[in-house]
Amino acid sequence: MSNSTLPTLPATDRPEVAALLRDALLGASFTADGLLDLLGAPAYAALARSETVPALRATRGDTPLETLVRLFLLQQPVPHARVTDVLPVAACVESGWLASVGGDEVAATVDVRPYGGPGGEDWFIVSDLGCAVGGAGGIGSREEGVVLGVGGASTTLAGITVRTPVAAALDLGTGSGIQALHAAQHATRVTATDVNPRALHITALTLALSGAPAADLREGSLFDPVRDDETYDLIVSNPPFVISPGARLTYRDGGMGGDDLCRSLVQQAGDRLREGGFAQFLANWQHVEGEDWQDRLRSWVPRGCDAWIVQREVQDVTQYAELWLRDAGDHRGDPAAYEALYDAWLDEFEARKVKAVGFGWITLRRTDSDAPSITVEEWPHSIEQPLGDTVRAHFERVDRLRALDDAALLAAHFRLADEVIQEQVGLPGAEDPEHVVLRQHRGMRRATKVDTVGAGFAGVCDGSLSAGRILDAIAQLVGEDPVLLRDRTPAQIRLLVEQGFLEPVD
């Protein structure tokens, strides 16, 4: 791959310049909060839609922050004299962060976008010019090796990742380095890989400008750069998962047929995980005619791993092709060329008997259990990010349930999780509801139907009584044989625990 037509990047061997630049950016309040205060909510939101006119109007003054917004976010040349009082211009030009243009002006060589960390940290994400989400005009380049900034997929993965202290973390396909940046906050050692050497260079810039420790950067595809004897406590990847005919764009097209890249990534991850370690991915998968999509994904899960797979969205093949053709800007070019590309996508799907494409999350956890748990589900509804603690708690509940046979389950104590409410649905004035729904207001924000026994059981669970004693009391109230009720209820209790409506009490 050649990046010869892309701009030269700032040097990575000048950490002192990155530190000076960081201090200057923070000193001018070039942060997520500072931008919101300066631009106002409408202009700030417009930037996320790649509309720059409101921000240009809001930065017509000469304050340091307005200068930096025009320089790094809107990518406008700025008079040298105006920048001198804001940035260490000479050092930034010498090391490549800025370039002299037009005689008496300077321009940014990369996008620099403020990004707020989960603990209130002020970070900066570096990407190629015109390729930062919310930058100057959206994806302004279709060069093969461009490196994008942070998009919705990046923040989704960062939000669902389990954030417990670990010794070693691996970020596969690091891109602009956002996952490596997050991992550096709770991992002693971070390894970041990418097939694109330009991405590794930009990751180094992102980490340096954000004041984070340097990562071990390695070039190569998938697990190729990882030695056979290396294992990790955490593996994360927002891979080039787009299912496309060919691999035009490195940042999104995997270059393998169909969903083989995502399948390979998941199947190979098991051998790279330490006991109890997590591997978390975003992925696309094919819905193939005559095949259950859930069975397809179950077949991906490697031996020795629990798995939780959530499908968040499904698009038919025409919607999917249009989405990614527009992502590349193909709809703005020659109509005949656009139609030919569209045809090629549909030919590819037709040849593979693909009727739709799913998008979602895949989480693996290495386990020594002889009976791994694999949960594959569809949940397209709203959630509450960050979900890392919810993901971790899911697997902790899996461990607890796996250790309990039905007799032990009925002897155990449970409590209703926080923020769970009960809704009764039925016609106005009816003596009894048509059905009862338990609904979470945190995390996955699940809703599940329960019968009268399930609703009564959940309502009484406060940890003081065992599940069996609660069922015995319910049996007496409804006039049912307690033995029969004990026999038929454990499956419902297990589901309520697995989905987080009930929590085990030690």
Side-chain angles (χ1 to χ4, degrees):
M1 177 183 61
S2 172
N3 293 331
S4 59
T5 62
L6 293 171
T8 300
L9 294 171
T12 57
D13 60 352
R14 299 289 302 277
E16 73 284 0
V17 178
L20 287 172
L21 178 55
R22 172 177 171 79
D23 288 345
L25 297 178
L26 294 176
S29 297
F30 188 68
T31 63
D33 289 341
L35 290 183
L36 182 59
D37 289 342
L38 171 68
L39 302 177
Y44 192 74
L47 264 186
R49 300 190 300 269
S50 299
E51 296 291 347
T52 59
V53 171
L56 286 167
R57 292 173 60 86
T59 55
R60 290 181 289 196
D62 57 1
T63 66
L65 181 55
E66 288 170 299
T67 297
L68 294 175
V69 170
R70 282 190 162 254
L71 191 62
F72 287 114
L73 280 190
L74 303 177
Q75 279 131 47
Q76 301 291 308
V78 177
H80 189 286
R82 184 173 167 185
V83 183
T84 300
D85 294 334
V86 183
L87 298 175
V89 176
C92 287
V93 170
E94 181 187 358
S95 60
W97 288 95
L98 300 176
S100 297
V101 295
D104 62 348
E105 293 183 318
V106 293
T109 59
V110 288
D111 276 25
V112 175
R113 182 161 179 85
Y115 179 87
E121 302 92 344
D122 288 315
W123 293 339
F124 300 97
I125 308 301
V126 180
S127 65
D128 270 314
L129 290 172
C131 294
V133 175
I139 307 307
S141 173
R142 284 186 283 169
E143 292 282 353
E144 180 187 0
V146 296
V147 179
L148 270 60
V150 175
S154 303
T155 55
T156 293
L157 178 59
I160 67 172
T161 299
V162 176
R163 300 294 176 194
T164 53
V166 296
L170 172 64
D171 175 17
L172 284 179
T174 187
S176 60
I178 179 60
Q179 309 306 330
L181 179 56
H182 276 279
Q185 312 309 306
H186 63 101
T188 303
R189 176 172 60 88
V190 176
T191 302
T193 72
D194 206 290
V195 70
N196 183 2
R198 190 175 182 86
L200 298 176
H201 191 128
I202 283 182
T203 291
L205 298 175
T206 290
L207 295 173
L209 195 58
S210 298
D216 179 4
L217 304 176
R218 304 183 190 177
E219 182 181 347
S221 177
L222 299 181
F223 289 98
D224 289 350
V226 179
R227 296 193 305 271
D228 291 342
D229 61 344
E230 288 182 301
T231 55
Y232 298 88
D233 306 289
L234 175 67
I235 300 172
V236 293
S237 183
N238 176 19
F241 53 66
V242 176
I243 301 171
S244 60
R248 286 192 302 153
L249 300 173
T250 302
Y251 71 84
R252 67 165 208 196
D253 300 324
M256 297 185 186
D259 52 16
D260 283 354
L261 182 135
C262 291
R263 175 185 56 79
S264 297
L265 183 62
V266 173
Q267 290 179 336
Q268 294 175 28
D271 291 337
R272 301 299 185 178
L273 281 176
R274 297 173 180 173
E275 186 65 32
F278 287 92
Q280 298 187 262
F281 314 108
L282 300 185
N284 275 180
W285 44 79
Q286 298 171 150
H287 285 230
V288 179
E289 186 176 339
E291 179 183 73
D292 186 312
W293 69 270
Q294 294 182 325
D295 289 342
R296 181 182 189 84
L297 289 174
R298 287 189 185 95
S299 74
W300 291 8
V301 178
R303 282 188 169 192
C305 288
D306 294 324
W308 183 20
I309 302 172
V310 182
Q311 180 167 271
R312 293 288 291 158
E313 185 179 359
V314 181
Q315 290 184 317
D316 67 49
V317 292
T318 59
Q319 292 174 309
Y320 189 81
E322 291 164 13
L323 169 67
W324 294 109
L325 288 168
R326 289 179 177 273
D327 168 80
D330 294 312
H331 62 299
R332 295 193 293 265
D334 175 31
Y338 173 77
E339 291 176 9
L341 287 169
Y342 200 150
D343 239 355
W345 283 66
L346 297 186
D347 284 345
E348 177 82 3
F349 287 132
E350 184 177 350
R352 295 179 177 276
K353 297 183 178 180
V354 176
K355 58 184 179 179
V357 177
F359 168 80
W361 324 320
I362 298 176
T363 299
L364 307 176
R365 185 191 58 166
R366 189 75 187 177
T367 179
D368 60 1
S369 172
D370 294 330
S373 166
I374 301 177
T375 300
V376 184
E377 62 176 317
E378 185 166 19
W379 188 252
H381 310 293
S382 65
I383 60 167
E384 181 189 48
Q385 286 273 40
L387 270 178
D389 287 344
T390 299
V391 173
R392 176 184 48 77
H394 166 86
F395 288 96
E396 289 175 352
R397 294 192 299 269
V398 164
D399 281 343
R400 292 291 294 270
L401 289 172
R402 190 159 43 203
L404 299 176
D405 59 18
D406 283 355
L409 181 78
L410 294 176
H413 294 235
F414 302 94
R415 62 178 290 273
L416 190 66
D418 295 335
E419 304 292 333
V420 174
I421 64 170
Q422 176 179 303
E423 299 175 355
Q424 297 188 168
V425 181
L427 294 174
E431 184 174 345
D432 296 311
E434 293 179 13
H435 58 264
V436 178
V437 174
L438 298 181
R439 186 179 301 277
Q440 300 169 345
H441 279 243
R442 304 294 301 272
M444 290 292 287
R445 292 178 174 167
R446 295 185 185 276
T448 187
K449 283 185 185 181
V450 291
D451 60 17
T452 303
V453 172
F457 183 89
V460 175
C461 279
D462 62 2
S464 62
L465 298 175
S466 69
R469 289 188 61 186
I470 294 173
L471 289 180
D472 291 344
I474 291 175
Q476 186 175 4
L477 286 173
V478 300
E480 188 169 342
D481 185 333
V483 175
L484 294 178
L485 189 60
R486 279 173 171 254
D487 284 344
R488 71 176 177 84
T489 307
Q492 186 174 189
I493 296 175
R494 287 182 185 278
L495 182 63
L496 290 176
V497 174
E498 181 181 331
Q499 294 188 341
F501 291 96
L502 298 176
E503 297 175 346
V505 175
D506 292 330

